[in-house]
Amino acid sequence: MNIRLVSDSSGNIYPDQTPLVYSAPMKVVTMQKEYVDNDDLNVPEMLSELKQYKGKSSTACPSVDDWLQAFGDSDIVYGVSITSNLSGCYNSAMIAKAQYEEAHPEKKVFILDTLSTGPEMQLLLEKYDELIKEGFGFDQIVSKIKEYLKKTHLTFMLSSLDNFAKNGRVNPVVAKAVGVLGIRIVGKASDEGTLEPMHKCRGERKGLVQLLETMKALGYKGGKVRLAHSYNPEAAENFKDMILSVFPKASIKTVLNRGLCCYYAEEGGLLVGFES
Ligand code: X90
């Protein structure tokens, strides 16, 4: 039996990671160029080109074909998608699932609308992998992953919401209040799967302190943590140390955001997926 894990590229998928995950790429689009968020994308180059670029930029979710390619010819596909409240990604995955299952009635696809993104999706992919290795069947895995989703959360620290506002994914008034030099916004993915800013902090140090407080308020007690940063390894490292000083046994791993998350989290952004 051939089983595959799939995700859209907001899950920050790398070719050498475990578990192995097949990615359906998001796109970052300008009038001049389309950046496909796959293994070949040079993210620093994209970010520096976008900095120079004066026109509008936007993003696009994976097409139905992108998802079908990620499914390959697997007998069973388990996947995760970015929140359906900010992207057409889940919808596109569901169309792909319907086409795939119609063409191959013996095959099965389940895609979870995570109402989140980035490192929370990473935790969910790791859980699928564990459940598969434990030998559970399709229906059990589907019900167990939905249960696990109730225990996983996403918080963030960002220094700009410009690209969110430009793309109509956050209120421009809220975004403007954040874009002041040195201000960090700390918030979470809401229960509805939207961006919920919660605290404005002066400077990164205070931002990180607030980030940890926010995790604790959401029920963090030393479970798994997955960090994803946009070219800010110092913040990720400091934050890891802060968590470990309170919860010395926590399992913490850090990755670099790929294209889509770097575009929205912007320079220095830190995303935190964790278990309550
Ligand atoms: O379909 C598309 O064009 C993609 C749109 C994606 C919009 C959201 C990207 C979020 C990236 C930023 C910080 C965390 C926010 C959490 C909200 C659920 C990561």
Side-chain angles (χ1 to χ4, degrees):
M1 180 101 66
N2 174 352
I3 303 178
R4 239 187 212 199
L5 295 181
V6 299
S7 169
D8 65 73
S9 65
S10 76
N12 297 315
I13 307 306
Y14 286 90
D16 53 353
Q17 74 179 55
T18 36
L20 174 65
V21 178
Y22 291 80
S23 172
M26 298 272 194
K27 285 118 199 156
V28 175
V29 190
T30 69
M31 294 295 277
Q32 285 166 359
K33 208 164 166 178
E34 181 178 84
Y35 301 91
V36 181
D37 192 12
N38 59 19
D39 295 343
D40 298 332
L41 178 66
N42 182 333
V43 180
E45 191 178 281
M46 174 187 88
L47 295 174
S48 93
E49 287 177 12
L50 286 173
K51 238 184 202 166
Q52 307 296 321
Y53 181 71
K54 295 287 171 265
K56 276 190 178 165
S57 58
S58 61
T59 56
C61 67
S63 66
V64 172
D65 267 351
D66 290 330
W67 278 111
L68 287 171
Q69 269 188 39
F71 297 171
D73 62 352
S74 318
D75 300 310
I76 295 183
V77 176
Y78 298 110
V80 287
S81 161
I82 191 169
T83 170
S84 61
N85 255 323
L86 294 177
S87 172
C89 188
Y90 178 68
N91 189 43
S92 158
M94 292 320 276
I95 298 171
K97 165 190 156 75
Q99 288 185 6
Y100 193 73
E101 289 177 343
E102 195 182 336
H104 315 281
E106 71 293 357
K107 300 189 175 189
K108 286 180 183 169
V109 177
F110 176 72
I111 308 288
L112 182 70
D113 176 3
T114 64
L115 299 174
S116 183
T117 186
E120 185 175 354
M121 284 168 48
Q122 222 176 308
L123 286 171
L124 289 151
L125 288 162
E126 288 172 21
K127 178 57 89 181
Y128 273 132
D129 187 50
E130 269 171 49
L131 294 168
I132 294 165
K133 287 186 176 135
E134 283 166 32
F136 289 108
F138 186 82
D139 293 343
Q140 282 169 306
I141 291 187
V142 168
S143 92
K144 282 177 189 289
I145 202 78
K146 288 181 184 164
E147 274 308 302
Y148 184 63
L149 181 63
K150 296 180 187 159
K151 282 183 41 180
T152 59
H153 310 265
L154 181 75
T155 52
F156 56 78
M157 179 184 74
L158 306 175
S159 52
S160 163
L161 295 178
D162 275 359
N163 283 338
F164 265 102
K166 279 187 202 154
N167 286 286
R169 287 182 167 89
V170 80
N171 182 328
V173 179
V174 175
K176 209 163 183 158
V178 176
V180 178
L181 204 67
I183 295 293
R184 299 288 185 283
I185 189 90
V186 170
K188 63 171 184 178
S190 70
D191 292 346
E192 297 75 40
T194 56
L195 178 129
E196 185 175 329
M198 297 166 78
H199 308 279
K200 267 199 276 176
C201 308
R202 204 164 288 276
E204 191 160 274
R205 184 73 209 165
K206 286 189 181 141
L208 293 178
V209 171
Q210 187 56 253
L211 195 55
L212 186 54
E213 287 311 309
T214 305
M215 280 171 70
K216 288 197 238 163
L218 288 168
Y220 182 67
K221 292 196 176 68
K224 269 181 163 183
V225 181
R226 297 292 175 260
L227 304 175
H229 64 87
S230 301
Y231 296 89
N232 193 353
E234 298 83 15
E237 197 56 31
N238 288 340
F239 194 57
K240 181 176 170 182
D241 290 344
M242 286 166 65
I243 300 171
L244 287 174
S245 72
V246 191
F247 303 101
K249 289 194 186 128
S251 146
I252 307 177
K253 282 188 195 162
T254 302
V255 296
L256 194 52
N257 278 322
R258 290 211 49 85
L260 193 276
C261 282
C262 271
Y263 176 78
Y264 282 103
E266 300 195 44
E267 223 170 306
L270 181 63
L271 310 181
V272 187
F274 65 93
E275 295 176 342
S276 57

